[in-house]
Amino acid sequence: MTVVVEDLKGKHELVIITGMSGAGKTVAIQSFEDLGYYCIDNLPPALLTTFLTLLRDSGKNITRIAAVMDMRGGDFFDSLIGALDHMLKEGDIVARILFLDADDATLVRRYKETRRAHPLAANGLLLNGIKRERNLLSEVKGRAKFVYNTSNMKPKELREKIAKEFANDANNIFSVNIMSFGFKHGMPIDADLVFDVRFLKNPYYVEELRHKTGLQTEVSSYVLALEDTQTLIQKLTDLFEFMIPLYRQEGKSQLVIAFGCTGGQHRSVTLAEYFGAYLAGKEKTVIAHRDINRRKD
């Protein structure tokens, strides 16, 4: 299968995620969120048409929507099919159903591991609830454009399958966020890789550079001209060339690389800018300087 977007000029793309409880809908909606879809969990089918009308009227530029709909919504089949038929008449919605399935034994095992109650197991018998749900969803499954059996899928494999079939450009789901920070303001809690560059000579102690930042040529030239800086750049370049493809292969949606110096003004900013520019031609890259405006002197 290929990308689901056929021609979205002037249209909204809607992916309805449904299927058996315990088959992976939570992982699926998280995957669509990573792909840049506007995501809604547990949208009652009866409200689907109303939601899309509100979206059109809002004027927001949201063209890719993913919504989880399952048996929690009540009156499931009639409401969903009615909404889909209405959208076909409107003509401005490209709708697809992604149905997640798994065999009974796998669903029983997953429910026992999580100790959750099945939404349709009113009498407490898990397998009866699963069989009832499978029967109720049979017609929806028949209308689905995509049917994934997740019995033997790990969450990572499900995310990769969704990315392959629903991303406009699979590379766009992975990004490298590069940030600078000052240790005196605290470590960033969201960084995957942190590099302490306080061993480099500090431009703060050069009078004409003290009140400037690494965004200015005078400071960046000073830092980049240091022999230790050039050695560091060479070693980190080799490290990033090795590690970043492996992070992407592992299924991460983003990698946060942080450079820290004392105040987050000079050395860390220079290195963040350097590697941001270097990686921009290879990855989707975002640069942020957390503490650059926190100068007190």
Side-chain angles (χ1 to χ4, degrees):
M1 293 182 181
T2 56
V3 176
V4 297
V5 182
E6 296 170 354
D7 182 6
L8 291 181
K9 292 181 179 179
K11 296 185 178 182
H12 297 284
E13 178 197 2
L14 171 66
V15 179
I16 296 171
I17 305 166
T18 188
M20 298 297 294
S21 300
K25 293 191 289 292
T26 298
V27 173
I29 195 66
Q30 291 171 348
S31 301
F32 279 97
E33 188 171 18
D34 289 340
L35 289 172
Y37 282 72
Y38 183 90
C39 295
I40 311 166
D41 190 15
N42 193 23
L43 177 67
L47 297 181
L48 177 58
T49 302
T50 301
F51 166 74
L52 292 173
T53 299
L54 290 172
L55 188 64
R56 291 189 193 99
D57 295 342
S58 70
K60 294 182 178 179
N61 187 27
I62 299 174
T63 59
R64 310 179 81 199
I65 308 153
V68 171
M69 299 182 188
D70 55 27
M71 301 308 297
R72 293 174 294 174
D75 297 328
F76 184 85
F77 180 75
D78 291 340
S79 297
L80 177 57
I81 298 306
L84 288 175
D85 289 343
H86 177 76
M87 284 185 290
L88 287 175
K89 293 178 181 178
E90 292 289 324
D92 64 342
I93 300 290
V94 178
R96 303 287 189 274
I97 297 177
L98 168 60
F99 190 96
L100 300 178
D101 202 355
D103 59 53
D104 290 354
T106 298
L107 295 175
V108 169
R109 174 176 56 80
R110 290 175 180 172
Y111 264 96
K112 287 186 175 295
E113 288 174 351
T114 60
R115 298 184 179 181
R116 294 172 55 221
H118 192 282
L120 296 182
N123 58 5
L125 296 178
L126 177 57
L127 191 57
N128 286 349
I130 291 173
K131 290 182 177 179
R132 183 183 174 200
E133 182 179 36
R134 193 178 297 284
N135 181 62
L136 290 171
L137 290 176
S138 60
E139 292 187 70
V140 174
K141 183 178 180 180
R143 289 210 177 200
K145 174 72 173 179
F146 303 92
V147 178
Y148 295 171
N149 189 311
T150 67
S151 300
N152 298 311
M153 275 189 198
K154 297 179 180 179
K156 174 188 171 183
E157 294 171 330
L158 177 56
R159 287 193 293 268
E160 290 175 347
K161 188 173 181 65
I162 289 172
K164 181 179 179 181
E165 297 197 62
F166 288 88
N168 282 326
D169 181 350
N171 291 326
N172 286 337
I173 69 170
F174 180 80
S175 65
V176 179
N177 288 18
I178 300 179
M179 67 181 298
S180 67
F181 72 96
F183 277 97
K184 71 179 183 180
H185 301 299
M187 289 271 288
I189 63 174
D190 55 344
D192 298 297
L193 301 173
V194 177
F195 297 98
D196 183 350
V197 298
R198 287 177 292 183
F199 65 90
L200 298 174
K201 289 183 180 180
N202 193 348
Y204 177 85
Y205 296 108
V206 178
E207 183 62 33
E208 60 269 27
L209 302 180
R210 176 174 298 181
H211 300 289
K212 299 180 184 295
T213 74
L215 294 178
Q216 295 169 285
T217 304
E218 299 94 323
V219 174
S220 61
S221 296
Y222 175 91
V223 174
L224 293 175
L226 299 173
E227 183 178 348
D228 288 339
T229 302
Q230 289 303 310
T231 301
L232 176 64
I233 286 174
Q234 179 183 351
K235 293 182 180 298
L236 288 183
T237 299
D238 290 341
L239 181 66
F240 294 155
E241 293 284 353
F242 169 71
M243 294 182 68
I244 290 176
L246 296 178
Y247 275 108
R248 189 194 306 107
Q249 181 179 327
E250 183 62 22
K252 287 181 70 68
S253 60
Q254 69 171 351
L255 175 67
V256 181
I257 302 173
F259 292 93
C261 61
T262 304
Q265 304 289 318
H266 303 100
R267 295 162 291 179
S268 62
V269 173
T270 297
L271 269 297
E273 286 290 318
Y274 176 88
F275 279 104
Y278 173 77
L279 293 172
K282 304 172 182 290
E283 308 288 348
K284 181 180 179 181
T285 306
V286 178
I287 304 173
H289 302 298
R290 193 191 72 179
D291 301 322
I292 199 168
N293 294 317
R294 298 182 68 169
R295 188 190 301 276
K296 293 183 179 180
D297 58 347

